Amino acid sequence: MYDNTFFKMNMKFKFPQLAMLLLFLSVAGTGSATVLIEGDSFNNDPYYYVIGNYGHGNFQIDGGSTWDWDGNAYMSYWQSGVVMSRQTGSSATGLITGPGSAVNVNGDGGTTFFQVGRGGTATLDIQAGGSLNIVDHNPLPNTQSGRNTVLVVGGSGSNILPTDGTGTLNANNGHIRVEGNRPVVNIGDGGGNGTLIINNGSTVQVIDHEPTAGADALTFVGTRAGSTGQLYINNSSYEITSDVGLGRMYVGKNAGSLGYVQISNGGQLNISGATDGDLLIGFGDDHDSNPNTLPEGGTGIVQITGPGSSVTTLDKVVVGSPVQLTGGGTSSGTLTVSNGASINAGGGIYGDL
């Protein structure tokens, strides 16, 4: 039924379209551990693994089991990763639950990605100590511009699909790690809708460890025209950092986008880097480098509320597109700090406040 199956400390599975796989493994002290992948799912190794291509796909990882996808930097098609809900009208659901249970997407110098809702609708739940790890262990070959280690929640990043996807990622005492070459978290990409919710001691780490100068660790909440991104950090932590470049979060980056971030109940957002660390809210970034056009941002909203809730940046917090920073440009930014919350910006807070 499948092309190749092999076991090591973890497991990697390869099988064709419309496959179903159910494995039970004995784990001392825990009863049974399960990796279940079923429905409309297929493996196009070494390019991508799809859960929900045209129909519905589902996966479940529990009991300390792990599912590994190994990327390849040296193939001519240099992107590899896992897609939940690939085509318009498709759907996918996933669950990673229990201590030690994990999906590991392992890069090797190329673009390595995990996508929740590319062209259809997808939901991923990570709970009770489970984790999603998108990690490039070999940054050295990654010298070509545009190669990243990426988590996308909602949106296609593609020009060939008639609609952009909707993705929801819920972490309840769950852990997400995006580490390696120019790591990026994109919540609401293309014209899609993305929601990332982290609760109850969950963690998100976006960490750049590429050894060349200029490498950055980034998060976008609402990216391009027509996209909506939402990020909720509730009694949990979100960290963006780079050893050699900058760390940065954009909320409502480009014209026509909407980004919303809420930090509550002791939630923490920390942004740092070797050269810079900024939070940019509805910021008109000059993405086209055209001296005849003013940078135009989207709509960005950040709310920090409750005792212990905080945002800490190495450098600036920018609200809107202040003239002194970007030369003008239309955008809308809102920052609210209330009920005992705090904001600590090493380079100051700028905007039409």
Side-chain angles (χ1 to χ4, degrees):
M1 181 178 177
Y2 12 142
D3 330 78
N4 182 29
T5 302
F6 65 92
F7 298 85
K8 40 187 179 180
M9 289 298 292
N10 297 324
M11 298 170 291
K12 181 178 179 180
F13 309 108
K14 303 181 179 180
F15 43 90
Q17 190 170 0
L18 298 174
M20 180 180 291
L21 176 65
L22 177 60
L23 294 178
F24 292 97
L25 303 179
S26 178
V27 179
T30 62
S32 64
T34 307
V35 173
L36 167 67
I37 303 174
E38 61 182 352
D40 180 13
S41 304
F42 77 96
N43 185 6
N44 187 21
D45 184 52
Y47 306 124
Y48 50 82
Y49 193 102
V50 174
I51 299 168
N53 190 33
Y54 290 97
H56 178 74
N58 176 70
F59 76 89
Q60 179 172 322
I61 317 293
D62 63 32
S65 298
T66 63
W67 174 38
D68 283 1
W69 171 266
D70 295 331
N72 187 340
Y74 306 105
M75 55 194 175
S76 58
Y77 185 84
W78 47 266
Q79 299 185 68
S80 60
V82 177
V83 181
M84 296 181 65
S85 180
R86 183 167 179 250
Q87 304 290 347
T88 302
S90 65
S91 61
T93 52
L95 173 64
I96 308 169
T97 183
S101 301
V103 171
N104 301 312
V105 182
N106 304 306
D108 192 22
T111 290
T112 307
F113 62 87
F114 190 100
Q115 204 159 17
V116 183
R118 183 176 188 225
T121 302
T123 300
L124 173 60
D125 292 300
I126 307 171
Q127 61 189 33
S131 65
L132 169 64
N133 304 296
I134 310 156
V135 177
D136 194 322
H137 299 280
N138 183 13
L140 294 178
N142 188 11
T143 58
Q144 182 172 338
S145 176
R147 297 195 176 188
N148 304 90
T149 308
V150 186
L151 170 64
V152 179
V153 183
S156 70
S158 168
N159 296 321
I160 62 173
L161 297 176
T163 60
D164 294 287
T166 297
T168 303
L169 200 169
N170 299 299
N172 184 10
N173 187 25
H175 307 288
I176 300 166
R177 188 176 185 88
V178 184
E179 179 178 359
N181 301 312
R182 303 176 179 93
V184 176
V185 174
N186 231 327
I187 308 167
D189 188 23
N193 300 307
T195 302
L196 173 57
I197 303 169
I198 59 173
N199 282 303
N200 189 27
S202 297
T203 62
V204 176
Q205 294 177 297
V206 187
I207 303 173
D208 180 85
H209 62 63
E210 187 180 358
T212 57
D216 305 325
L218 303 171
T219 292
F220 302 93
V221 186
T223 313
R224 299 182 181 90
S227 68
T228 299
Q230 299 178 79
L231 170 61
Y232 298 88
I233 305 171
N234 181 33
N235 188 27
S236 298
S237 67
Y238 197 114
E239 176 189 8
I240 305 170
T241 187
S242 172
D243 291 340
V244 295
L246 62 84
R248 183 167 287 172
M249 176 180 284
Y250 291 88
V251 183
K253 183 177 187 291
N254 293 323
S257 66
L258 170 63
Y260 175 77
V261 176
Q262 183 188 81
I263 304 166
S264 60
N265 294 320
Q268 308 281 319
L269 171 61
N270 298 294
I271 306 172
S272 64
T275 62
D276 203 356
D278 305 306
L279 172 61
L280 308 177
I281 306 167
F283 180 78
D285 192 16
D286 190 8
H287 59 87
D288 61 4
S289 301
N290 184 341
N292 298 314
T293 62
L294 292 174
E296 185 175 355
T299 298
I301 302 168
V302 174
Q303 297 179 340
I304 316 165
T305 184
S309 301
S310 69
V311 169
T312 301
T313 65
L314 177 69
D315 195 10
K316 299 181 292 294
V317 173
V318 180
V319 184
S321 290
V323 171
Q324 65 266 35
L325 291 178
T326 67
T330 303
S331 67
S332 174
T334 303
L335 171 64
T336 305
V337 183
S338 63
N339 299 322
S342 64
I343 186 164
N344 308 289
I349 301 174
Y350 298 85
D352 301 323
L353 304 175

